[in-house]
Amino acid sequence: MKEDSRQQVKIPASFTAASANQLCSQLDSIFNYLHRRKGFNGTVLVTKYDQVMYKGAFGYADFYRKDTLTTQTAFQLASVSKQFTAMAIMMLKEQDKLDYDDSVQQYVPNFPYKGITIRQLLTHRSGLPNYTYFSDELWSDRKIALTNQDVLNLMSVHQPKVFYKPNTHFDYSNTGYALLATVVEEASGVPFATFLQEQIFEPLQMENTFTFHELAARTGRVATGHNRNRQMRTSDYLDTVLGDKGLYSTVEDLYKWDQALYTQKLVKRETLEEAFAGTGMKDKKNEDYGYGWRIGQVGSGDTIVYHGGLWHGYTTYLLRNQKDHSAIIVLSNLPNGSLTYLKDLRQFLYPAKSDNIARHEDRKSEAASGRL
């Protein structure tokens, strides 16, 4: 493990105990409103200047059993899993076991598409078809769980048509991250799940973070995925593919993960900065993509890195703002649209300068009228 050398952030004089308490109260009101009026069911943790401003749990881990959620309940992370896959690749890069511009064939000889590199898989610029679609056509027995090796075999035998030539378009690819998990195995010599456990989860003391394969053996709290009608979602043959999804974690463990990214416990700072730099080529949302992270801006003008996820009854979201060392972590097991209000939460936490001026003028007016 590398020397910690934690990245520091200056706390402004305006951030006082009173303002922190006010922010906590406001966040509590926001999430209670989302729970009562919009049906939000899940857990949340919000930080600022590395401090937990608010954490809470709303609703049930299982609607049938009425098992109450806690902030230590684990949820399927869906595509928020991708940042851990990317970290595994970055760690192996630092260990000189791979290079970003290596071809996939160097690690997976029977991979049938030439000219695709690890970097292109990381940044969704491989042009590969989505395995969650072509497997529906090519995997005949849905009662048999699909593995990462099975995905590779299907591609090798059937060679489904690519969407684009490599490095010509951004095209979000679950296939790319499933292949990255295979690359991790080949480069490290250990199963992907073992690498994550030994190299990331254990060093960071993420005790409630694990892969889908360990789900049945877990004795702690795990949230059940539901459909929007609160009926339980069952796992299917696609759940066993890792890399693009398949991790379970809690808001408290994800806070440990967020905090570790301000240190050099896993990789050097310059390695992580490259992961947050992006390709310079924007997508339709005018956002970039780094290594396992979307890169965008909030109303305040700050650059943020974030990722969302949606899979089999789970909706997840993790945002980091390095300018003020803040984070928004939200995990839900009821995909009823309630998380569409996250954009309002972003606007509240990172208001545009014009909004800040308007708030200041409102407060001056209220003070003059004796309402403050």
Side-chain angles (χ1 to χ4, degrees):
M1 185 178 294
K2 299 175 181 63
E3 183 183 353
D4 192 327
S5 61
R6 183 181 181 81
Q7 184 180 358
Q8 302 295 326
V9 62
K10 185 177 180 180
I11 302 177
S14 59
F15 187 74
T16 63
S19 64
N21 287 336
Q22 182 183 29
L23 177 58
C24 176
S25 178
Q26 290 169 321
L27 289 167
D28 187 57
S29 296
I30 289 170
F31 279 97
N32 271 291
Y33 169 81
L34 291 176
H35 174 58
R36 292 194 310 268
R37 302 297 296 272
K38 303 300 178 181
F40 171 66
N41 192 93
T43 59
V44 57
L45 189 148
V46 180
T47 72
K48 194 175 182 70
Y49 302 116
D50 297 316
Q51 303 174 41
V52 177
M53 293 291 100
Y54 180 75
K55 66 178 179 179
F58 302 86
Y60 297 115
D62 186 309
F63 278 91
Y64 178 76
R65 296 186 178 128
K66 304 297 186 201
D67 184 8
T68 304
L69 286 168
T70 77
T71 55
Q72 294 182 333
T73 303
F75 292 72
Q76 154 76 268
L77 295 186
S79 285
V80 172
S81 304
K82 289 182 171 68
Q83 57 202 251
F84 293 91
T85 305
M87 176 56 77
I89 291 289
M90 289 187 277
M91 295 174 79
L92 291 167
K93 165 73 160 54
E94 285 197 354
Q95 295 169 18
D96 293 324
K97 293 183 177 179
L98 57 78
D99 189 85
Y100 296 146
D101 294 315
D102 289 342
S103 70
V104 177
Q105 274 95 355
Q106 288 180 238
Y107 305 91
V108 190
N110 64 328
F111 181 66
Y113 305 95
K114 295 183 178 180
I116 295 176
T117 66
I118 290 173
R119 191 188 304 273
Q120 290 160 7
L121 297 182
L122 285 168
T123 57
H124 298 288
R125 298 184 64 81
S126 69
L128 290 170
N130 195 328
Y131 81 87
T132 60
Y133 298 147
F134 68 68
S135 295
D136 275 346
E137 300 176 7
L138 303 175
W139 194 249
S140 58
D141 191 346
R142 305 291 176 80
K143 294 180 181 179
I144 299 176
L146 191 72
T147 67
N148 289 64
Q149 185 61 49
D150 291 327
V151 171
L152 179 61
N153 291 343
L154 289 177
M155 298 180 80
S156 179
V157 172
H158 299 280
Q159 299 187 24
K161 186 177 180 181
V162 299
F163 292 155
Y164 301 104
K165 291 183 179 180
N167 213 34
T168 59
H169 293 76
F170 172 89
D171 191 68
Y172 188 82
S173 175
N174 288 312
T175 306
Y177 271 76
L179 285 169
L180 285 171
T182 301
V183 170
V184 169
E185 293 192 345
E186 295 300 321
S188 68
V190 299
F192 178 66
T194 302
F195 185 93
L196 295 183
Q197 183 65 37
E198 294 180 350
Q199 301 294 320
I200 300 178
F201 304 154
E202 288 179 4
L204 300 185
Q205 298 182 327
M206 297 173 68
E207 297 174 357
N208 294 309
T209 303
F210 52 93
T211 63
F212 178 84
H213 300 78
E214 301 172 81
L215 181 60
R218 301 299 294 190
T219 57
R221 292 174 175 265
V222 180
T224 299
H226 299 82
N227 63 24
R228 62 182 304 111
N229 297 318
R230 302 186 176 187
Q231 296 171 325
M232 182 178 69
R233 283 292 305 265
T234 56
S235 58
D236 66 22
Y237 78 108
L238 292 171
D239 280 279
T240 38
V241 178
L242 300 178
D244 59 319
K245 53 174 171 48
L247 291 190
Y248 285 74
S249 191
T250 69
V251 291
E252 295 191 8
D253 269 9
L254 290 175
Y255 171 56
K256 294 176 182 178
W257 164 248
D258 162 68
Q259 290 295 290
L261 298 182
Y262 292 116
T263 73
Q264 298 186 87
K265 289 180 178 179
L266 300 177
V267 292
K268 297 174 183 176
R269 183 156 295 122
E270 52 265 33
T271 299
L272 195 57
E273 286 173 353
E274 183 179 358
F276 294 155
T279 62
M281 294 170 276
K282 303 295 181 69
D283 62 13
K284 293 179 182 179
K285 296 181 180 179
N286 199 33
E287 293 185 339
D288 207 338
Y289 199 99
Y291 303 161
W293 295 89
R294 295 184 183 274
I295 305 166
Q297 281 192 322
V298 284
S300 61
D302 297 345
T303 297
I304 51 119
V305 294
Y306 76 100
H307 217 293
L310 176 64
W311 181 256
H312 287 184
Y314 300 92
T315 307
T316 58
Y317 186 80
L318 196 165
L319 175 150
R320 303 179 73 244
N321 183 347
Q322 295 185 82
K323 184 175 181 180
D324 61 2
H325 283 209
S326 61
I328 304 171
I329 306 169
V330 182
L331 306 176
S332 175
N333 59 335
L334 182 64
N336 58 359
S338 61
L339 293 193
T340 59
Y341 294 90
L342 281 173
K343 64 181 183 297
D344 298 325
L345 179 63
R346 280 170 51 155
Q347 290 171 4
F348 168 72
L349 291 172
Y350 311 111
K353 291 182 179 179
S354 58
D355 293 338
N356 275 324
I357 293 171
R359 288 182 185 179
H360 179 67
E361 292 301 320
D362 287 344
R363 288 176 179 174
K364 284 174 61 179
S365 176
E366 289 177 348
S369 64
R371 286 181 289 169
L372 277 181

